[in-house]
Amino acid sequence: MDKQPWIILSAGDNVAVATAVIAPGSTVAGIQARQKIDPGHKVAIADIPLGAAVVKYGQAIGRTTEEVKAGDHVHSHNLHFENDRLAATANSAPETATADDKARTFMGYRRADGRAATRNYIGIIASVNCSTTVCRAIADEANRTILPHYEGIDGFVPIVHDQGCGMSSTGDGMNVLHRTLAGYTRHVNFGGVLMIGLGCEVNQLTLYGQSGAGASKRHFNIQDAGGSRRAVERAMGVLREIAADVGKERRVPISIGEIIIGLQCGGSDGFSGITANPALGVAADLLASAGGTAILSETSEIYGAEHLLRSRAVSDEVAKKLDEKIAWWEQYVALHGASLDNNPSPGNKRGGLTTILEKSLGAVAKGGRSPLTAVYGYAERVTAPGLVFMDTPGYDPVSATGQVAGGANMIAFTTGRGSCFGCRPAPSLKLSSNSALYASMEEDMDIDCGTIATGDATISGKGREIFDLIVDTASGKKTKSEIFGYGDNEFVPWHLGATL
């Protein structure tokens, strides 16, 4: 028997989602399609009056701009954003880790301060854009001349950016930059760090002390070194000392409860909220149940679904913090004459997504169904176990940078259109929402979640597959992004405040 080319996500929905091309005249849930419906797009399964709510995932995703007949294609031409929220239904139970899951370990690095690392890199961190070129030159030279002598070091990573001067020394902009860079200097996947400044910038190295404690955390200014070439020469001497220490590190068994994973999605399509995101949510539930931490972020992309997260908050204080983040974003976009509904990109819309509410309902599925234990500001250090939320923009490099600064030692990234991404020092898994993408970009994708839409896999089963790959990756298995070499250019701190 042929598999039906459509899926209804909730009993209360008045649209179905095409999982394959639906030809005009084809039967969908007992009605006939009136137009061609592309994969990931929506078809009405009941008449929807003008101005009525279109319901998907059991939630309003907007209102009709014209009368919609059963069988019509529902998209941007007849559906628009309105700030609706349907009442949150009772939360179903999250996936639960078994006793065997909770007893699992991964092979990681145990740092002197007790934290658990999944990689053993040495970071070359720029305090200011002026030291970016020198940091890249240092990393290139170190990878060429020092790395071959140390099998236990994964590489020398340049962490560079376009900030650090031409900005106020106080206020949100400097606070966020400092918090982000400080998070990277202490990141557990960096066994050692060398921070390089120019010398006259606003973001002075003295703000970072010695970038941490111990001989493996060092810094100096290019001006003090006598210029660019001499800075590279000086860095080689420093890095040989750091490498001699860091290169002694070896992987040991560590409880999976010490994995901290950042949850990301980018280049979403109509399948993202049906396949990859809920499957990643299952893996997040399993990790949280085993004592680990999953960080959900992208505040502008959970807008419209925040009430679902709020209903899972473990306390009124946690719920209030989430409300405050949403209110800040509403004021922030209004100040700049923008709307949060501008978030879905042209690629998102070609893939079947119409409004921010629809995108958000799918995006929040990455967080599974576990209780929300804490809410953090951008790049704040994450200490609570379970599912937590970090306030970040929806722009993937900025969001992931905040998560890693907060302590994520891994990233899991879902995509429907084909985002390419890496985030060193945290290994980044890529999960495709549809099988066509996996087939066309297999060298970039780690798992094909499109088999859920075709009926060849279940959300629970695929979530378990992701969970297993998370553990294997934490133990050193290279991701597709790592194999290609992604991760040196994706460090993008959130830029707030005026450029002076």
Side-chain angles (χ1 to χ4, degrees):
M1 185 176 185
D2 292 336
K3 296 171 183 173
Q4 62 189 29
W6 49 271
I7 185 171
I8 298 172
L9 300 175
S10 175
D13 291 358
N14 54 17
V15 292
V17 180
T19 57
V21 173
I22 297 175
S26 300
T27 300
V28 178
I31 57 95
Q32 284 192 328
R34 290 159 56 90
Q35 298 98 25
K36 175 188 174 185
I37 311 296
D38 287 324
H41 284 249
K42 299 172 289 296
V43 56
I45 56 175
D47 291 342
I48 309 175
L50 169 65
V54 174
V55 181
K56 179 183 175 184
Y57 304 109
Q59 298 291 319
I61 61 170
R63 292 187 180 275
T64 57
T65 56
E66 60 186 50
E67 183 181 1
V68 174
K69 296 291 187 183
D72 279 346
H73 179 211
V74 179
H75 197 40
S76 302
H77 62 287
N78 55 13
L79 168 63
H80 75 137
F81 166 78
E82 279 198 13
N83 200 5
D84 288 340
R85 305 289 192 278
L86 297 186
T89 56
N91 293 311
S92 54
E95 297 275 347
T96 304
T98 66
D100 287 341
D101 291 331
K102 294 176 182 179
R104 290 180 70 173
T105 60
F106 72 97
M107 296 300 292
Y109 297 95
R110 178 66 71 189
R111 301 302 189 195
D113 62 4
R115 293 181 300 154
T118 63
R119 294 293 185 270
N120 193 34
Y121 285 111
I122 294 176
I124 317 298
I125 300 180
S127 68
V128 63
N129 65 295
C130 309
S131 59
T132 288
T133 299
V134 167
C135 284
R136 290 193 186 280
I138 290 170
D140 287 345
E141 183 68 10
N143 281 319
R144 186 179 67 84
T145 63
I146 300 177
L147 185 61
H149 300 287
Y150 294 96
E151 184 178 346
I153 298 175
D154 289 307
F156 294 82
V157 180
I159 299 297
V160 299
H161 55 96
D162 65 353
Q163 298 185 49
C165 209
M167 60 192 299
S168 173
S169 61
T170 59
D172 290 341
M174 180 55 74
N175 290 340
V176 166
L177 177 63
H178 179 263
R179 192 162 66 236
T180 304
L181 288 173
Y184 270 71
T185 64
R186 66 168 178 262
H187 196 277
V188 70
N189 283 0
F190 281 140
V193 164
L194 174 59
M195 196 170 195
I196 303 292
L198 177 60
C200 54
E201 62 271 16
V202 173
N203 188 35
Q204 289 283 301
L205 290 179
T206 52
L207 296 172
Y208 300 88
Q210 275 299 116
S211 303
S216 294
K217 310 286 185 179
R218 309 274 286 278
H219 68 216
F220 66 81
N221 285 316
I222 296 169
Q223 292 169 349
D224 296 335
S228 302
R229 182 180 58 80
R230 289 180 180 175
V232 175
E233 293 172 353
R234 178 174 172 178
M236 290 307 103
V238 174
L239 290 176
R240 286 188 180 94
E241 295 175 1
I242 293 176
D245 184 26
V246 176
K248 298 174 184 177
E249 298 283 343
R250 294 294 181 268
R251 291 185 180 272
V252 297
I254 297 174
S255 166
I256 62 169
E258 297 189 56
I259 294 174
I260 304 174
I261 192 161
L263 311 175
Q264 286 289 320
C265 60
S268 301
D269 69 350
F271 288 110
S272 294
I274 301 171
T275 61
N277 287 356
L280 179 55
V282 168
D285 282 342
L286 291 172
L287 182 63
S289 180
T293 303
I295 308 173
L296 184 65
S297 298
E298 302 172 296
T299 314
S300 57
E301 295 187 1
I302 63 107
Y303 184 76
E306 76 283 347
H307 61 300
L308 303 181
L309 279 177
R310 193 184 193 284
S311 69
R312 291 154 51 186
V314 297
S315 69
D316 291 340
E317 180 184 4
V318 171
K320 182 181 178 182
K321 284 185 178 180
L322 184 62
D323 290 343
E324 290 171 348
K325 302 302 183 187
I326 295 295
W328 183 91
W329 273 92
E330 290 175 331
Q331 295 171 1
Y332 179 62
V333 297
L335 180 66
H336 293 278
S339 166
L340 284 167
D341 190 47
N342 290 338
N343 181 276
S345 69
N348 294 154
K349 293 182 178 181
R350 285 193 296 272
L353 297 177
T354 310
T355 68
I356 184 57
L357 302 183
E358 180 178 13
K359 185 176 181 180
S360 294
L361 288 163
V364 80
K366 299 192 303 294
R369 301 190 297 271
S370 297
L372 182 67
T373 61
V375 173
Y376 293 94
Y378 184 82
E380 285 186 347
R381 190 169 187 174
V382 173
T383 57
L387 175 68
V388 304
F389 185 81
M390 177 181 285
D391 179 35
T392 76
Y395 183 43
D396 311 317
V398 176
S399 181
T401 294
Q403 291 177 330
V404 175
N409 52 24
M410 288 190 63
I411 296 288
F413 191 121
T414 69
T415 183
R417 303 295 295 176
S419 294
C420 299
F421 189 77
C423 200
R424 295 203 293 178
S428 304
L429 290 168
K430 297 303 294 297
L431 317 175
S432 69
S433 71
N434 63 83
S435 296
L437 169 62
Y438 186 84
S440 67
M441 296 181 64
E442 187 173 352
E443 292 183 346
D444 290 282
M445 302 295 136
D446 296 283
I447 287 185
D448 175 18
C449 296
T451 52
I452 295 170
T454 61
D456 296 310
T458 64
I459 290 174
S460 180
K462 189 62 67 171
R464 169 66 64 173
E465 182 182 343
I466 296 169
F467 178 66
D468 290 339
L469 184 56
I470 288 170
V471 177
D472 290 343
T473 302
S475 296
K477 180 177 180 178
K478 287 188 179 297
T479 67
K480 299 286 185 67
S481 295
E482 287 180 295
I483 291 169
F484 186 81
Y486 278 104
D488 290 353
N489 300 300
E490 288 76 17
F491 176 77
V492 187
W494 192 359
H495 195 167
L496 290 172
T499 298
L500 303 178

